[in-house]
Amino acid sequence: MTETTEEPAARRRIFADLTPLHTSPDYRRLWFGNTVSWIGQGMTSLAVSLQVYDITGSAFSVGLIGFCSFLPLVVFGLYGGAVADTLDRRKLGLASAFGSFLLSLALVSLTIAGVEQVGLLYALVALQSACFAVNSPARSSMIARLLPAEQLPAANALSSMTSTTGNLVGPMLGGVIVGWWGYRAAYTVDAVTFTAALYAMWRLPAMLPDRGEASGPAKRASVADGLRFLAKRSNLRMTFFTDLCAMVLAQPKALFPVVAVVWYGGDARTTGLLVAAPAFGALLGGVFSGWLGRVRRHGLAVLVAVACWGAAIAVFGLTRQLWLGLLFLALAGCADTISMVFRNTMLQAAVPDEMRGRLQGVFIVVVAGGPRLGDFFSGSVSDLTSPGLAVTGGGIACVVAVCLLALRWRGFARYDARDPQP
């Protein structure tokens, strides 16, 4: 009898803690729906890129897809967070998910009609990005209402597996489906997968923001109020500062095509391996995340994880053997998952419910903007010096910056999950 009870406990200490999926049917449906829809979105992302290149034959035109998705993420991320702190988050999440579903159907309709207008594809991508930016703060701010605080690290680890699986599996399936059956099939599958997210949102209870002692009709939540709240909370600010250190100073993704050829003598397949390695490491970080729920010093864990990211990237810049480079990129991805779990948990646990949407909106802007600034930074440094110096120097700069931040705001390392203070 003792062996049977100890074995599941040992598994939870090693593998991802599935307790949130068992204790909350609402969270379980939400998690499953998001996982399925993330895979569909990954398929569509690749299919749109392939279709734009098929129409134009221009790599620059493909690059514009990222620009079209970035601006709505920034604008509607902040705005969507404010709306999520004003309206019923269930209704907001349902409406934005339904908007994404309709946009997937629009892509299907365009391919059926044989319309090959790049401008329409750009417009649909921008609208999909806007729907995602509105949906994400509403959905993320619900988690702390569906689960007790002690289960939030496990829930965020499961969420990391959702996005990583979508980013890995979605493009692979998209490539296979487009190759066999064409763009229409990929867009159709994406539209079908969105029904899982819609069903999960439909089954949720009402999620009006908790305004504490306030009474009377809800006031329009202000983005400026959210930013002022953040400006006075050093622990919350540090979650964003540390992430920017990693994503801006030590983000080598833009250099992977150059690195694949110059360092490893490879080709496009080598570039694909370099892109996949951090995502694979992030997925492993989620799979083996059972121990994260026992960590109480979340601030210290974030500092260590971000420093490990920087160190792994710095060593990657010194490697000239492919297997070793992939190993350190995977280690960096694992560290990124650990950092993300605790940063998101702090935002959910230490922020009042009436502010959660706006802070999650800021989170989206940082997550979306940081890597793009990092691509610009690493590319610029590489052109001025060399790829090796850009990668290794960026990793070292990340570690140094995190150490300086830890010395400036010493209370962050003492943050205790048992008494979350913003």
Side-chain angles (χ1 to χ4, degrees):
M1 190 70 176
T2 305
E3 291 181 0
T4 59
T5 56
E6 287 181 354
E7 185 178 357
R11 288 177 180 173
R12 284 196 297 270
R13 286 195 292 268
I14 299 174
F15 295 105
D17 185 358
L18 304 181
T19 303
L21 299 178
H22 297 309
T23 58
S24 173
D26 287 327
Y27 175 78
R28 181 169 61 248
R29 285 189 292 267
L30 194 63
W31 180 83
F32 177 77
N34 289 337
T35 300
V36 174
S37 63
W38 263 98
I39 293 174
Q41 290 171 67
M43 293 171 52
T44 290
S45 178
L46 179 74
V48 169
S49 297
L50 292 173
Q51 189 172 9
V52 168
Y53 187 75
D54 190 31
I55 295 171
T56 66
S58 167
F60 176 77
S61 297
V62 176
L64 283 178
I65 297 173
F67 178 77
C68 291
S69 65
F70 173 64
L71 286 181
L73 274 177
V74 173
V75 175
F76 285 91
L78 293 174
Y79 177 75
V83 176
D85 285 338
T86 304
L87 304 178
D88 183 346
R89 289 163 180 164
R90 171 190 172 270
K91 291 182 179 178
L92 181 62
L94 188 61
S96 53
F98 187 67
S100 295
F101 171 71
L102 291 179
L103 291 168
S104 295
L105 291 181
L107 286 169
V108 175
S109 301
L110 286 179
T111 54
I112 291 176
V115 177
E116 293 189 343
Q117 293 291 332
V118 175
L120 286 175
L121 292 175
Y122 288 156
L124 290 175
V125 166
L127 290 172
Q128 283 184 327
S129 183
C131 287
F132 173 81
V134 173
N135 181 271
S136 188
R139 187 180 65 245
S140 298
S141 56
M142 292 178 192
I143 304 301
R145 298 272 292 272
L146 297 175
L147 297 169
E150 62 271 14
Q151 292 182 21
L152 292 179
N156 287 316
L158 291 170
S159 296
S160 75
M161 294 172 63
T162 291
S163 57
T164 305
T165 300
N167 291 334
L168 278 174
V169 177
M172 288 191 294
L173 285 178
V176 172
I177 291 175
V178 169
W180 285 358
W181 298 293
Y183 302 116
R184 179 175 59 186
Y187 298 144
T188 302
V189 172
D190 182 27
V192 172
T193 59
F194 254 113
T195 59
L198 284 170
Y199 176 74
M201 285 285 182
W202 180 264
R203 291 290 305 273
L204 288 173
M207 287 278 178
L208 286 167
D210 181 5
R211 296 186 295 124
E213 300 298 324
S215 59
K219 295 190 301 181
R220 176 67 170 249
S222 166
V223 174
D225 286 343
L227 295 176
R228 281 192 288 268
F229 174 86
L230 178 62
K232 297 177 182 178
R233 272 70 180 183
S234 59
N235 285 335
L236 297 180
R237 289 201 311 275
M238 279 288 285
T239 64
F240 296 115
F241 289 162
T242 52
D243 186 48
L244 288 172
C245 286
M247 294 298 100
V248 176
L249 299 176
Q251 176 58 266
K253 187 176 179 180
L255 302 180
F256 284 166
V258 177
V259 164
V261 176
V262 175
W263 293 1
Y264 304 121
D267 51 18
R269 288 171 294 182
T270 308
T271 303
L273 289 174
L274 294 174
V275 172
F280 181 72
L283 181 60
L284 289 181
V287 170
F288 297 100
S289 62
W291 59 277
L292 298 182
R294 298 191 299 276
V295 176
R296 296 289 179 262
R297 301 282 292 278
H298 290 182
L300 181 61
V302 169
L303 293 171
V304 172
V306 175
C308 287
W309 163 279
I313 295 299
V315 177
F316 163 70
L318 300 174
T319 63
R320 294 301 180 267
Q321 292 182 307
L322 181 59
W323 70 269
L324 196 57
L326 295 176
L327 173 63
F328 280 100
L329 286 176
L331 290 174
C334 183
D336 185 47
T337 288
I338 295 170
S339 167
M340 186 280 298
V341 166
F342 289 121
R343 286 185 290 109
N344 219 348
T345 299
M346 293 173 71
L347 285 177
Q348 292 165 339
V351 176
D353 186 66
E354 62 180 1
M355 284 284 179
R356 282 191 184 122
R358 278 165 283 186
L359 269 294
Q360 288 293 336
V362 176
F363 181 81
I364 290 174
V365 171
V366 171
V367 169
R372 287 164 174 82
L373 291 175
D375 289 342
F376 175 77
F377 178 79
S378 62
S380 300
V381 174
S382 176
D383 284 346
L384 292 173
T385 56
S386 68
L389 185 59
V391 175
T392 298
I396 294 172
C398 172
V399 175
V400 172
V402 167
C403 292
L404 292 175
L405 287 173
L407 291 173
R408 173 61 181 83
W409 287 285
R410 298 172 185 265
F412 185 68
R414 297 192 293 271
Y415 178 95
D416 193 323
R418 291 167 293 191
D419 182 27
Q421 296 296 323

